Amino acid sequence: MKKRKILVSALVAFLAMLIITGCSSTSSSQTNDKNKETDQAAEKEMYVTKTVNKIDMKIVDVKTTENGKGNKNLVTLKMKFTNHDVSEVGVGAYDFTMKAKDKTYKVSANGSTFGDAFQPEKTLSGKVSFEIPKNIKTAKLLYMPEKKELAEWNIVIPTAK
């Protein structure tokens, strides 16, 4: 009889541990899912399409690499443009600047650039790169053809890989 009580008590304790463990891993999984959703929402917000002069402009990707000098990183943004005008339009990397911590950064000659004219309802893709200090974690990408700011995006600078 005592063996039976001990066996039942051990079984109940074992089942309780399984239930508790199962619940804790589920809530951890739910927390991770919520964090992923938040990260994805922030990413979607960061890559909002802007329309300027009938051209849709979108940041497709942001990548950071070390530039080899040790104190700066090379931040490269992949961009996509769609021409909704009735005539050919042109867009180039040098129409963009990056602002961070009250400093303005010009397009880097060491990185990727693009520039071309494209027909109505056609797309143009290209990359633009900026050399910025490693300690910068956020910045603003500005579309400034002819020195006039027409669009701006808030950018989170990813860690160099």
Side-chain angles (χ1 to χ4, degrees):
M1 198 65 143
K2 281 186 178 182
K3 287 184 180 181
R4 194 171 187 175
K5 283 184 180 179
I6 292 172
L7 184 61
V8 170
S9 296
L11 185 60
V12 169
F14 178 74
L15 289 174
M17 286 175 42
L18 281 177
I19 291 170
I20 291 170
T21 304
C23 290
S24 68
S25 67
T26 301
S27 88
S28 172
S29 171
Q30 289 173 348
T31 302
N32 289 340
D33 290 345
K34 286 180 184 177
N35 288 343
K36 285 180 186 176
E37 288 173 13
T38 303
D39 291 345
Q40 288 172 347
E43 187 173 297
K44 284 180 185 176
E45 185 177 320
M46 182 172 66
Y47 301 140
V48 171
T49 300
K50 308 278 180 151
T51 303
V52 178
N53 298 329
K54 298 183 183 177
I55 302 170
D56 287 350
M57 302 179 175
K58 182 174 178 86
I59 298 170
V60 178
D61 190 33
V62 180
K63 182 180 175 184
T64 304
T65 55
E66 289 187 8
N67 72 352
K69 295 180 184 175
N71 61 345
K72 292 190 177 187
N73 282 331
L74 190 65
V75 177
T76 302
L77 296 98
K78 184 176 180 183
M79 307 281 299
K80 181 178 177 183
F81 306 90
T82 304
N83 178 3
H84 294 292
D85 203 344
V86 295
S87 61
E88 182 179 77
V89 296
V91 178
Y94 291 96
D95 293 335
F96 293 87
T97 59
M98 187 172 280
K99 243 184 180 176
K101 296 187 178 182
D102 297 325
K103 289 186 101 180
T104 302
Y105 299 92
K106 301 287 183 194
V107 173
S108 173
N110 296 329
S112 301
T113 59
F114 68 93
D116 208 352
F118 57 114
Q119 297 297 320
E121 301 310 319
K122 299 292 181 184
T123 61
L124 171 70
S125 294
K127 295 179 180 178
V128 58
S129 299
F130 299 89
E131 272 187 345
I132 63 172
K134 285 184 174 183
N135 66 343
I136 294 177
K137 303 298 179 204
T138 61
K140 288 184 188 260
L141 178 68
L142 305 172
Y143 176 61
M144 298 181 60
E146 301 176 19
K147 308 283 187 236
K148 183 178 177 187
E149 184 181 322
L150 299 178
E152 136 184 338
W153 294 263
N154 291 319
I155 306 294
V156 175
I157 309 297
T159 305
K161 294 181 181 179

